[in-house]
Amino acid sequence: MNAPTQAALIESALRTPITQQLSNSHLDALEEETIFILREVAASFERPALLFSGGKDSLVMLKCAEKAFGAGRIPYPLLMIDTGHNFPEVTEFRDRRAKELGAQLIVRSVEDSMARGTVRLAHPGESRNVHQSVTLLEAIEEFRFDALIGGARRDEEKARAKERIFSHRDSFGQWQPKAQRPELWTLFNTRLNQGEHFRVFPISNWTELDVWQYIDREGIELPSLYYAHQRPIVERKGLLVPVTALTPAKEGEQVEQREVRFRTVGDITCTCPVASSAASAADIVAETLSVTVSERGATRMDDKTSEASMEKRKRDGYF
């Protein structure tokens, strides 16, 4: 039998789905690093917690935590800071998934902080997203958490690219980007003074593509918002804004029914979908290969106030 020609090989490759052509062998190293970090947190801190929103990144971390400690044996509670304006599909999924894992779920609400007077909105329509910092710091004080595990990744946004994996916070819960501790040879400095804590980012070195490849490989279930669905939207400042009771159309805006999905999920008042027909994790892997804007850049209204908006919030205690 004659060997296939180069043209035939190229034609065959073009017929093969891109997800089958794409190697995912690097995911083993990323998973191993994440498991190591999750175990390091359990060994180094007395009262850690895993920030759990029900979003894709926290669900990837939960999958790695199951592999690190065994199903139903995650040694720290899950913590959710709820603005009260989260998508109901996500909060329902969050509650169900925590119950399935047999994990302790702690929910603290921005609305409770508002009732205490520690959060005051400039006007009723103001997004509560930025005010999560206050509620988070109150939860840290209430439970005396000394480490919070988060799903932030360096590829998401400029300020997050500056973070160490073990990111120190002072006694006021603030981040000082110029005073970070070195992490040479993956040796993490976990020393704390009274009242200080760490934010730990086990998937810091993952990219959005890595996350979706891992979700596809592991068959991780996600809230339905991550996949293509029909939704009324308006176009505003280059973003597709979902039309809801919290984000109604403005005068003169034309409401359209569009097929969209969410690349990231968060507060309804500042999270936007993108046009997409991707109905599976494999579809999203293929779609992600062609995007040129980060997921936060394409979907978050609150990050567009200034180039330094995220860094300012992180200095004040944001995730």
Side-chain angles (χ1 to χ4, degrees):
M1 182 179 296
N2 294 330
T5 64
Q6 184 177 9
L9 290 171
I10 293 173
E11 183 181 355
S12 175
L14 291 173
R15 289 198 304 268
T16 304
I18 188 65
T19 51
Q20 292 182 25
Q21 299 178 46
L22 196 64
S23 171
N24 65 7
S25 58
H26 67 292
L27 296 179
D28 293 331
L30 289 173
E31 179 189 70
E32 182 180 349
E33 178 186 56
T34 299
I35 289 172
F36 169 73
I37 293 166
L38 290 168
R39 288 173 174 165
E40 190 75 4
V41 172
S44 302
F45 298 98
E46 294 181 13
R47 291 174 296 277
L50 191 151
L51 293 167
F52 180 56
S53 65
K56 68 180 189 307
D57 298 315
S58 57
L59 286 163
V60 164
M61 285 201 303
L62 275 185
K63 183 65 175 180
C64 291
E66 283 189 272
K67 293 189 176 187
F69 304 107
R73 299 179 62 186
I74 298 174
Y76 21 72
L78 311 182
L79 174 64
M80 164 66 169
I81 304 300
D82 194 337
T83 65
H85 289 167
N86 295 89
F87 290 97
E89 299 95 326
V90 177
T91 53
E92 289 166 9
F93 185 92
R94 172 203 71 194
D95 294 344
R96 175 172 64 82
R97 191 72 188 99
K99 186 176 181 180
E100 290 171 352
L101 287 168
Q104 178 189 4
L105 176 63
I106 299 170
V107 179
R108 290 296 179 266
S109 174
V110 173
E111 292 181 342
D112 293 336
S113 298
M114 292 166 61
R116 287 190 292 269
T118 52
V119 166
R120 296 184 181 182
L121 303 183
H123 54 83
E126 182 188 4
S127 174
R128 300 175 182 178
N129 194 57
V130 67
H131 297 292
Q132 291 179 93
S133 305
V134 175
T135 309
L136 177 63
L137 294 175
E138 290 173 343
I140 291 170
E141 183 176 2
E142 177 185 356
F143 294 98
R144 296 186 301 135
F145 291 129
D146 52 5
L148 292 177
I149 307 165
R153 306 187 321 272
R154 289 189 175 116
D155 77 320
E156 289 182 278
E157 201 274 339
K158 294 177 182 178
R160 288 183 167 174
K162 297 180 181 180
E163 293 263 24
R164 300 283 192 253
I165 291 176
F166 279 65
S167 185
H168 177 261
R169 296 298 192 273
D170 64 23
S171 57
F172 297 100
Q174 296 178 324
W175 175 57
Q176 302 297 337
K178 293 184 179 180
Q180 294 189 88
R181 301 172 181 180
E183 293 179 336
L184 304 175
W185 309 293
T186 320
L187 296 175
F188 302 116
N189 188 334
T190 59
R191 290 176 297 178
L192 288 175
N193 294 318
Q194 185 69 31
E196 298 175 343
H197 70 277
F198 274 93
R199 308 284 172 88
V200 183
F201 305 109
I203 62 170
S204 185
N205 292 326
W206 298 48
T207 66
E208 183 183 11
L209 180 61
D210 296 330
V211 167
W212 280 109
Q213 283 188 271
Y214 190 75
I215 289 167
D216 183 38
R217 188 183 82 171
E218 300 294 324
I220 298 173
E221 184 184 2
L222 299 180
S224 59
L225 292 177
Y226 278 109
Y227 301 109
H229 58 284
Q230 293 290 325
R231 180 177 292 270
I233 62 96
V234 296
E235 293 193 32
R236 186 183 302 162
K237 297 181 179 179
L239 297 173
L240 303 182
V241 179
V243 177
T244 69
L246 294 169
T247 53
K250 296 180 179 180
E251 185 177 353
E253 290 182 329
Q254 182 177 355
V255 179
E256 301 177 69
Q257 195 75 14
R258 296 272 292 271
E259 187 176 38
V260 298
R261 71 174 181 88
F262 286 85
R263 288 174 67 182
T264 182
V265 296
D267 189 289
I268 292 172
T269 62
C270 62
T271 306
C272 298
V274 295
S276 174
S277 59
S280 67
D283 291 343
I284 294 174
V285 168
E287 187 176 273
T288 303
L289 287 168
S290 64
V291 298
T292 57
V293 180
S294 73
E295 62 195 85
R296 292 192 70 93
T299 66
R300 297 302 292 266
M301 288 183 278
D302 55 336
D303 287 347
K304 291 187 175 293
T305 55
S306 77
E307 284 292 314
S309 57
M310 171 62 82
E311 181 160 333
K312 181 181 183 301
R313 280 180 285 155
K314 290 182 76 65
R315 286 174 181 266
D316 293 338
Y318 190 73
F319 303 156

